[in-house]
């Protein structure tokens, strides 16, 4: 709940908070150091507070953080299963990175949760950190982007849910 405080991290009008981390250094430390000018560029994107994060790269690879770094989640499992069944390239060995975003390697971003299933991400904003930085837009969906992978996955997950959730008989016991 403290991370959802609109006065700290979650700006009004935004739907969620993404958790990030600075990768382990060669000495096994991952203590975030704001003094490093390249601090932001070293960040890895992990998950949302109540969602898993997936990034579709320009080469067609779909990347999500490894299960050891994030909560696995049932919907995440369904998405991974769907990607594998379709023969799409899935990389769940390392999280999506800020450097990849800045290098223009991201083409689509979506989050998954048990309640909302698959939701395309419209914008990622980094909040102000300390006194020397303003909040800034890191990712913004271009109007021309139609999110083909995200829409296809979402359609398949909805279809799968509808076909598997059909109730044949209901018995009520008193």
């Amino acid at each position: 709940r403290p991370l959802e405080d609109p006065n700290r991290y979650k700006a009004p009008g935004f739907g969620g908070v993404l958790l990030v981390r600075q990768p382990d250094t060669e000495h096994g430390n991952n203590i975030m150091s704001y003094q490093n000018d390249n601090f932001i560029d070293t960040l890895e994107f992990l998950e949302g507070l109540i969602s898993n994060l997936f990034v579709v790269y320009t080469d067609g690879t779909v990347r999500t953080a490894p299960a050891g770094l994030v909560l696995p989640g049932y919907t995440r499992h369904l998405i991974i299963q769907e990607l594998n069944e379709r023969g799409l390239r899935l990389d769940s060995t390392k999280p999506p990175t800020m450097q990849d975003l800045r290098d223009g390697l991201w083409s689509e971003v979506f989050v998954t949760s048990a309640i909302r299933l698959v939701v395309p991400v419209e914008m990622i904003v980094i909040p102000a950190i300390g006194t020397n930085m303003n909040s800034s837009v890191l990712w913004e969906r271009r109007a021309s982007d139609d999110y083909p992978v995200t829409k296809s996955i979402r359609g398949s997950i909805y279809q799968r849910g509808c076909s598997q959730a059909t109730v044949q008989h209901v018995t009520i016991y008193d």
Side-chain angles (χ1 to χ4, degrees), residues 51-66:
S51 61
N52 290 107
L53 175 73
F54 289 82
V55 174
V56 181
Y57 279 67
T58 55
D59 69 356
T61 300
V62 180
R63 188 181 289 176
T64 187

Side-chain angles (χ1 to χ4, degrees), residues 15-18 47-54 64 71-79 110-121 153-154 157-158:
V17 173
L18 292 178
E47 62 186 340
L49 294 177
I50 57 170
S51 61
N52 290 107
L53 175 73
F54 289 82
T64 187
L71 293 173
Y74 182 68
T75 307
R76 181 180 188 274
H77 165 75
L78 289 177
I79 300 299
F110 63 93
V111 293
T112 65
S113 70
I115 295 172
R116 298 186 298 165
L117 295 181
V118 179
V119 179
V121 172
I153 295 294
R154 180 173 56 191
I157 295 300
Y158 286 159

Side-chain angles (χ1 to χ4, degrees), residues 130-147:
T131 58
N132 296 332
M133 186 177 165
N134 295 320
S135 60
S136 62
V137 175
L138 297 176
W139 166 267
E140 189 166 17
R141 179 180 174 197
R142 295 182 301 258
S144 62
D145 293 342
D146 63 354
Y147 276 44

Side-chain angles (χ1 to χ4, degrees), residues 51-125:
S51 61
N52 290 107
L53 175 73
F54 289 82
V55 174
V56 181
Y57 279 67
T58 55
D59 69 356
T61 300
V62 180
R63 188 181 289 176
T64 187
L69 294 177
V70 299
L71 293 173
Y74 182 68
T75 307
R76 181 180 188 274
H77 165 75
L78 289 177
I79 300 299
I80 290 172
Q81 184 178 359
E82 183 68 25
L83 293 169
N84 287 328
E85 287 174 7
R86 288 170 172 246
L88 295 172
R89 288 177 295 198
L90 171 67
D91 182 355
S92 60
T93 62
K94 55 188 173 193
T97 66
M98 178 70 74
Q99 191 60 54
D100 290 347
L101 180 153
R102 293 213 169 146
D103 288 345
L105 300 178
W106 292 17
S107 65
E108 300 177 41
V109 180
F110 63 93
V111 293
T112 65
S113 70
I115 295 172
R116 298 186 298 165
L117 295 181
V118 179
V119 179
V121 172
E122 299 289 328
M123 183 183 298
I124 298 175
V125 176

Side-chain angles (χ1 to χ4, degrees), residues 14 21 29 79 136:
F14 286 88
R21 77 172 192 153
N29 300 320
I79 300 299
S136 62

Side-chain angles (χ1 to χ4, degrees), residues 149-170:
V149 174
T150 303
K151 285 182 179 179
S152 177
I153 295 294
R154 180 173 56 191
S156 294
I157 295 300
Y158 286 159
Q159 181 71 21
R160 183 183 298 219
C162 290
S163 66
Q164 293 177 0
T166 303
V167 176
Q168 299 293 328
H169 302 282
V170 176

